[in-house]
Amino acid sequence: MVLASGSMALATRTERTPSLIGSVWRSTVGKKAVMAVTGVIMLAYLVAHMLGNLKVFFGAGEFNHYGAWIRTIGEPFLHHKWFLWIARVVLGSAVVLHGVAAFQLSRRDLAARPAKYAHARRRASYATRTMRWGGVILALFIVWHILDLTTLTVNPNAEEGRPYENLVASFDRPPVTALYIVAMLALGLHIRHGFWSAAQTLGANSPRRDRLFKVLANALALLLTCGFIAVPVGVMTGVVS
Amino acid sequence: MNLTLRIWRQRTADAAGAMTSYEVSGISEDMSFLEMLDHLNEELILAGDEPVAFDHDCREGICGACGMVINGQAHGPERTTTCQLHMRHFADGDTVDVEPWRAAAFPVVKDLVVDRSAFDRVIGSGGYVSVPTGSAPEAHATPVPKPVADLAFEHAECIGCGACVAACPNGSAMLFTSAKVVHLNALPQGAPERESRVLGMVGAMDAEGFGGCTNTGECATACPKGIPLQSIATMNREFLRASLRGGRGA
């Protein structure tokens, strides 16, 4: 009797749905949500990074002091530099997840449209069409940027604890400045489509809020691009030296 | 009106196809695009050639059977179905390219006919409400506020023609799927299956080989029924909500 009633209950039970992480990562919608969340994390960091960079205009003393302070955030609860390392791990994971999801989704998207139209038409905006290669350019730039100003491997000054002098030495090389400015323009384009797209992906968008998110995306893109480019322009014009 | 048509001709699903040119004369500007193709086919049949195969049914813009990519645009230059597109939108002497919907999930059957049964399987995975059969329930038993009814109706307008998939550079069915999810999830009748519907339909959509959404907005631009792009945001929200709740009913 017990066995029989047991099998009855099994027969009427609804199928179990897969785990949250499994169902999210396996679906295109969920993977996009991962891209949106990691994108927003990186965007929030970039706003803080850009604002911090602007301290360069207050001189070497203040900028280097700011650089040293970042290493003390969270003390005494956190050990020296721990906040910095937590931020690095979070950002590193965000970049990797964002990139892996983008790669997997792009492969899928290309496979979903194997035949092209004979009558080709220009589609979507420039920012939208350049998301994939723009993302690749940004990833390569991040590698260069870390080698230049974090590990100081390719920095001509390479003095630990003197970010101001390292920065000025780096931007004294015109090709580096040009590369930096191009990367920041790519960043602006990426954010212009990416921020609104994240709002759409996370379900925050609606017909009523669409304009707001588009305006916000453009404002963020403009603010970050101009803010970041201001530093090499400052070095080029001699305002920062 | 005389036109040069370049039409995708493909004998069978497995055969290689090619764009083939036809000179068509005596076209009236009052003809629909399908009537213009009928006109071409009559000439082809008289000449002993194989007529161009294309899907069509109501020819009133309400069934979703017809659909072809005209000059690179799904359903052509006007925001309507191919059957409701009239030749007055073309000029004498134009060259017009006519191609089938292009997507891995919509294989070409013949010429301009594609197999859209992937859409049926997406609908079969949750695009319905389970109701007991019997006599019709009392209409006032389930009140639906007017704005909700309007939202549901706006999305119920989707005719499943597939223009969204054809227009999407990723061959994504997000707009189609979101139309049904928003339609039914907005209504009280759809509430018991709110989570399983969106999870099931998104799962089926992925399994059919449709691409993901990159928010290019091409789908909503091509949609003859004006399903808004933001409906995809609503479906994404429903999907994330259902995932967080583990797919259980409300």
Side-chain angles (χ1 to χ4, degrees), chain A residues 126-138:
Chain A
Y126 187 74
T128 309
R129 283 184 282 122
T130 52
M131 285 306 272
R132 285 173 188 148
W133 286 109
V136 171
I137 289 172
L138 288 175

Side-chain angles (χ1 to χ4, degrees), chain A residues 33-111:
Chain A
V34 171
M35 286 191 69
V37 170
T38 52
V40 168
I41 290 171
M42 292 188 280
L43 185 60
Y45 164 75
L46 285 179
V47 171
H49 185 14
M50 187 274 288
L51 292 175
N53 282 4
L54 294 181
K55 296 205 76 133
V56 83
F57 291 103
F58 296 111
E62 198 158 328
F63 191 73
N64 288 346
H65 176 69
Y66 164 71
W69 169 78
I70 288 173
R71 282 148 180 80
T72 67
I73 297 175
E75 286 181 25
F77 179 70
L78 294 177
H79 188 65
H80 186 66
K81 274 195 184 178
W82 273 22
F83 173 82
L84 193 66
W85 276 106
I86 291 168
R88 282 170 178 171
V89 169
V90 170
L91 287 170
S93 317
V95 170
V96 169
L97 280 173
H98 198 80
V100 169
F103 178 75
Q104 292 182 352
L105 284 169
S106 297
R107 270 179 54 130
R108 206 195 141 84
D109 293 346
L110 294 173

